[in-house]
Every structure is written in structure tokens, then in C-alpha cells.
């Protein structure tokens, strides 16, 4: 008997029929002899509908009240799903994030989990019940309801799996796993059977939408195996874990699928996947003093503005002017606030100009095989050159190369690189059942 935490996204519980389909899958898992804890997102477009409703009433809603409002979507899902499971003869009980012991700080709208005390969930497991937990939410030390921000339900599920010492955390979505690229851009993208956590972190951090970065970080920190799969099909999805021997999979994966996973690990490709990001803007500080401490001061100002930086490139002119150019990318939502902060500090920073490029495209090539295989960079840049795509910025890590292109070139760049590295499937196999990829 295994303890399995299952997370279902909004498209998986979008209406009554979807709820029944999910409830049957949960009951089947229970009848197979496993204990099950479930985390659910809000139904379909519920969160967007609540945001629209709030917007009709006020332009600046208090963050505390927004968290109270948005947490309602997951509560609706959890209670309806519990009803559906009980109707099928399996005892189930629903819990809010607070009732499930999800403790957070007080940063409304983007709270961080500070602790997990899932006593009531553990009691339900002992009593043979399926525990249904509202994702995306928790409770602060002041007993205020908080929400965890984008990907919060994924984070809730993995944190619960870690706290309960679950055997696996299954992330159910509307595609059959993680693919070598977004199947909406590359219809011939191939499903990845197995990924290491470090590769998944790089993909999640650079635009892959199926898993949220914080969830993958939790999984790596607490060694929680993840299984990303579709709630609309019975296909085995993508396993994310660092163990080569797969002890965590025994009894959870059919023997044939386990053999395939082991073969895939032996013949692991150099490149695991391509992520892309459309949400970034670029800021360039022209002619800042090339002196110790100036870059530090610049990014202290950027940090104080609350911006999360992705890529940074510094260019030292050859003219010997004693000045440099620094370019960086950041989420578009943070750009205007950051620009205002930098402009307010112009006298202190003593730069010559600030240039803003809204809407850039970032392509990231990820694969642990980069460490031991020469020629990856040459093939990447060669494929972009052949496609007539210009590169604006480049950054790397041990297992990743990221480039900035024009936004209008991004989709073409992804397809060109995907083909150059031989990642295309022999025929289209990617199916987005619910239409959103989540």
C-alpha cells in the first residue's frame, strides 16, 4: 500500500462531468489498495471570474480581501469533489488550506509556506478516508487566509506530500506529461518519460508551464518523486526523480512502463527539452561607471523595487571610457516600477541612458548531457542562424543555454532548435485535452 498525493488542475475539475471523471480515478486508486490525499484547484475559469467581479467593484481592492475572495474557488472544488467521491461509496472529507495545516507568512497574494502541520489530513488517512485539500491557500500566524500565487496548488500538493512522507505526488493536468517543447508551438514535440529534478527546475524557471518552480524546489528539497500525467487519459506520464534505481516506483508503475523508464535512463538524450518565455521585458543601463560596487548598487535598487531578475549581461566597451552597459530581463509586470526606481537614482548611479525593450522572447535549451557533450552551443547558434534569427543576449548554466530573441521570432526559434536537436517525434503525439495545458 502506497500513500499517493494527487493534484488536479482547474481544467480537470471544470464541470460536473469532469468532477465525476476525477472522482472515479480517485476511487480506482483507493480500490487498488492505496491511501489517497487530493489537492484541487478552482474549477475552470473561476479565479478569473472572481477577479473580474472584484474589478467591477474597485480598482484597488485590499490584498487581504482579495485573498479571502480568491480562496473561495478552491473551496468550491474541494467540497463538490468530496461529494462526488462519497456518492461513489468511498468516504471522503474536504479541508481548507488552514484546516489542512498549511502555514504561511503574511504576504497576501504571494504567500510563502513556512510550515506544514497536516494533523487532520493524517487522521483522515488513518480512518480510511480520502482527504480533499483546497490548494493555493494557507493561513498566516495572524489567522488570516492567504493565497500562494501562481502555481500555488502544485506547491500545496508537493508540500503535503513531503510532510506526509508520501510515496509519490501525482500532478494531473490536461496533457500527457512534460514534452520536449510546448505542443502548441511544436505539434511534433515528444513526451519525456523521465526527468531529473535539476533539469525540471531549469525548465520550470525558464517558461515551462506544466509545473511551477516552487513546487519543483519543494520536491527536490524533500526528495518527493513527481509524476506529471493527464486526468483525461490513462497514459503513463513523466516521472521526475533523481534516483537511478527507481525504488520509489515499485508497485506504482506497471512492469512494462518501469522497464521503459530504465531503458530511457540508460539512453538519456543530451537535450531534455526546450522552454520559452514571453513574459519578460529587457532594460539596458547605458554608460554606467565601470567601478567596484556600481553593479551591486544598481541591483540593490532593482531588488528594492520588488523585481525578479532572470538574465544579466554586462558589456565593457573597448574604447576605454571607464563605463559599461548592463542589460537584464525581468517580468513585464515589474518593468515600469523598476524603471521608475532606477530613474529616481540616476544621479547616484551616474549612467548616461536607460533603454527599455518591452516584450522580448527567451528560449532555453536544457539537458544534463551538456556537461559531457561538446558542440551543443555550436548546434544551437547554427540552427538559429540558419532560421535567420538574431540573438540579443546569452546566458548559461551547467545544463542550460538561454538566448533572448525578438518576441515575433520566438515560436520560429523554438521549432528550429527543436528540429536541429532531433527532438521531433515521428508523428504528432501531443494532445492538449482541456485546451490550456494546466
Amino acid at each position: 500500500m502506497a500513500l499517493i498525493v494527487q493534484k488536479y488542475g482547474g481544467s480537470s475539475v471544470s464541470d460536473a462531468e469532469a468532477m465525476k471523471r476525477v472522482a472515479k480515478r480517485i476511487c480506482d486508486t483507493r480500490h487498488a489498495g492505496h491511501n489517497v490525499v487530493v489537492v484541487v484547484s478552482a474549477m475552470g475559469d473561476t479565479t478569473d471570474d472572481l477577479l473580474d467581479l472584484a474589478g467591477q467593484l474597485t480598482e484597488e481592492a485590499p490584498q487581504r480581501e482579495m485573498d479571502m475572495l480568491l480562496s473561495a474557488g478552491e473551496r468550491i472544488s474541494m467540497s463538490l469533489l468530496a461529494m462526488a467521491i462519497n456518492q461513489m461509496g468511498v468516504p471522503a472529507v474536504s479541508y481548507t488550506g488552514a484546516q489542512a495545516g498549511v502555514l504561511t507568512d503574511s504576504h497576501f497574494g504571494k504567500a510563502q509556506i513556512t510550515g506544514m502541520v497536516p494533523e487532520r489530513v493524517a487522521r483522515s488517512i488513518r480512518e480510511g478516508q480520502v482527504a480533499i485539500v483546497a490548494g493555493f491557500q494557507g493561513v498566516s500566524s495572524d489567522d488570516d487566509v492567504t493565497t500562494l500565487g501562481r502555481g500555488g496548488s502544485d506547491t500545496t500538493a508537493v508540500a503535503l506530500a513531503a510532510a506526509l512522507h508520501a510515496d509519490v505526488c501525482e500532478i494531473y493536468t490536461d496533457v500527457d506529461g512534460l514534452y520536449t517543447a510546448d505542443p502548441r508551438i511544436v505539434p511534433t514535440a515528444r513526451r519525456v518519460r523521465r526527468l531529473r529534478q535539476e533539469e525540471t527546475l531549469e525548465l520550470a524557471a525558464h517558461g515551462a508551464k506544466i509545473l511551477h518552480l516552487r513546487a519543483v524546489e519543494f520536491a527536490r528539497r524533500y526528495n518527493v518523486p513527481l509524476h506529471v500525467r493527464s486526468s483525461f487519459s490513462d497514459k503513463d506520464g513523466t516521472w521526475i526523480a533523481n534516483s537511478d534505481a527507481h525504488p520509489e516506483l515499485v508497485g506504482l508503475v506497471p512492469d512494462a512502463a518501469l522497464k521503459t523508464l530504465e531503458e530511457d535512463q540508460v539512453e538519456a538524450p543530451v537535450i531534455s527539452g526546450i522552454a520559452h518565455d514571453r513574459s519578460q521585458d529587457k532594460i539596458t543601463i547605458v554608460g554606467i561607471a565601470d567601478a567596484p560596487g556600481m553593479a551591486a548598487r544598481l541591483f540593490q535598487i532593482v531588488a528594492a523595487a520588488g523585481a525578479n531578475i532572470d538574465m544579466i549581461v554586462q558589456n565593457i566597451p573597448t574604447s576605454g571610457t571607464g563605463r559599461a552597459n548592463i542589460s537584464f530581463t525581468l517580468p513585464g509586470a515589474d518593468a515600469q516600477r523598476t524603471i521608475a526606481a532606477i530613474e529616481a537614482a540616476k544621479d547616484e548611479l551616474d549612467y548616461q541612458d536607460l533603454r527599455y525593450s518591452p516584450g522580448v522572447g527567451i528560449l532555453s535549451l536544457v539537458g544534463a548531457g551538456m556537461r559531457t557533450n561538446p558542440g551543443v552551443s555550436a548546434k544551437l547558434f547554427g540552427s538559429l542562424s540558419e532560421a535567420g534569427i538574431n540573438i540579443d543576449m546569452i546566458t548559461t548554466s551547467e545544463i542550460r543555454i538561454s538566448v533572448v530573441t525578438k518576441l515575433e521570432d520566438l515560436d520560429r526559434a523554438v521549432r528550429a532548435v527543436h528540429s536541429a536537436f532531433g527532438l521531433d517525434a515521428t508523428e504528432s503525439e501531443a494532445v492538449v485535452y482541456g485546451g490550456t495545458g494546466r
Side-chain angles (χ1 to χ4, degrees):
M1 175 183 288
L3 172 56
I4 300 173
V5 174
Q6 298 181 341
K7 178 263 176 179
Y8 293 93
S11 60
S12 298
V13 292
S14 58
D15 54 32
E17 289 306 312
M19 285 275 186
K20 291 176 183 178
R21 183 176 60 249
V22 166
K24 183 180 184 304
R25 184 182 291 268
I26 293 167
C27 291
D28 288 345
T29 305
R30 190 71 185 86
H31 293 321
H34 303 303
N35 289 318
V36 188
V37 174
V38 179
V39 175
V40 287
S41 298
M43 298 172 62
D45 297 325
T46 299
T47 299
D48 289 337
D49 292 342
L50 292 172
L51 285 169
D52 290 344
L53 186 57
Q56 296 174 36
L57 300 174
T58 177
E59 293 182 359
E60 294 187 17
Q63 282 294 324
R64 179 186 183 278
E65 303 311 319
M66 285 301 297
D67 276 17
M68 288 289 286
L69 174 68
L70 296 181
S71 66
E74 281 70 20
R75 296 182 184 212
I76 293 169
S77 296
M78 73 179 194
S79 55
L80 289 173
L81 185 56
M83 292 176 194
I85 293 170
N86 277 293
Q87 179 66 26
M88 294 181 180
V90 174
V93 60
S94 63
Y95 296 110
T96 66
Q99 291 171 331
V102 183
L103 309 180
T104 75
D105 59 26
S106 298
H107 289 89
F108 296 112
K110 52 181 179 181
Q112 298 282 328
I113 294 176
T114 58
M116 297 292 300
V117 190
E119 294 177 353
R120 297 183 70 177
V121 175
R123 188 186 315 145
S124 291
I125 294 170
R126 291 194 299 271
E127 294 174 357
Q129 300 170 325
V130 174
I132 313 293
V133 178
F136 178 64
Q137 62 185 258
V139 62
S140 72
S141 58
D142 297 325
D143 289 329
D144 283 321
V145 172
T146 57
T147 63
L148 306 181
R150 180 177 169 267
S153 292
D154 287 355
T155 307
T156 302
V158 179
L160 263 176
L164 295 167
H165 304 290
D167 295 277
V168 64
C169 180
E170 297 183 331
I171 306 293
Y172 283 92
T173 177
D174 57 11
V175 289
D176 289 319
L178 293 175
Y179 284 80
T180 48
D182 187 333
R184 296 163 198 76
I185 295 176
V186 185
T188 55
R190 192 168 65 235
R191 179 158 49 100
V192 180
R193 307 287 182 175
R194 182 177 175 84
L195 273 175
R196 287 184 169 272
Q197 290 168 342
E198 62 175 344
E199 293 172 305
T200 311
L201 273 172
E202 290 282 14
L203 289 167
H206 292 90
K209 305 299 184 186
I210 298 301
L211 276 176
H212 193 263
L213 180 61
R214 282 196 293 171
V216 183
E217 288 173 337
F218 256 107
R220 184 173 70 164
R221 187 181 311 159
Y222 297 104
N223 198 29
V224 177
L226 301 178
H227 188 193
V228 182
R229 58 194 308 195
S230 174
S231 64
F232 296 83
S233 78
D234 292 324
K235 292 181 180 178
D236 195 57
T238 302
W239 283 90
I240 300 165
N242 280 348
S243 170
D244 291 333
H246 311 287
E248 73 278 4
L249 311 186
V250 176
L252 300 178
V253 183
D255 290 343
L258 187 59
K259 185 175 186 296
T260 299
L261 284 172
E262 291 168 347
E263 290 171 350
D264 287 349
Q265 186 69 14
V266 171
E267 301 175 4
V270 176
I271 300 303
S272 296
I274 300 169
H276 71 278
D277 192 349
R278 306 178 194 279
S279 67
Q280 300 277 313
D281 292 353
K282 186 183 77 167
I283 294 174
T284 299
I285 309 301
V286 179
I288 192 169
D290 181 22
M294 293 308 295
R297 184 59 190 134
L298 169 63
F299 288 106
Q300 286 170 359
I301 292 168
V302 171
N308 291 313
I309 301 302
D310 183 12
M311 302 173 67
I312 303 173
V313 172
Q314 179 171 329
N315 176 39
I316 309 293
T318 59
S319 57
T321 60
R323 293 184 175 274
N325 299 337
I326 298 178
S327 297
F328 58 91
T329 63
L330 75 171
D334 297 339
Q336 293 303 321
R337 184 172 66 251
T338 303
I339 290 170
I342 294 172
E343 289 178 337
K346 184 172 183 179
D347 290 342
E348 177 188 358
L349 294 173
D350 188 27
Y351 62 85
Q352 296 172 340
D353 193 15
L354 184 153
R355 297 174 186 170
Y356 173 50
S357 302
V360 298
I362 300 180
L363 179 153
S364 296
L365 191 67
V366 176
M370 288 185 192
R371 292 191 181 106
T372 54
N373 286 268
V376 172
S377 297
K379 183 178 287 189
L380 168 64
F381 301 138
S383 64
L384 292 173
S385 174
E386 290 174 6
I389 295 166
N390 191 46
I391 300 170
D392 191 13
M393 295 171 65
I394 305 167
T395 63
T396 66
S397 74
E398 262 196 323
I399 64 169
R400 173 186 54 81
I401 305 172
S402 294
V403 299
V404 172
T405 71
K406 292 180 180 179
L407 188 61
E408 57 266 30
D409 291 338
L410 183 59
D411 288 5
R412 192 159 51 89
V414 171
R415 287 190 287 267
V417 174
H418 195 271
S419 179
F421 281 90
L423 298 177
D424 293 326
T426 54
E427 58 185 36
S428 178
E429 66 169 273
V431 178
V432 181
Y433 299 93
T436 66
R438 284 199 64 76

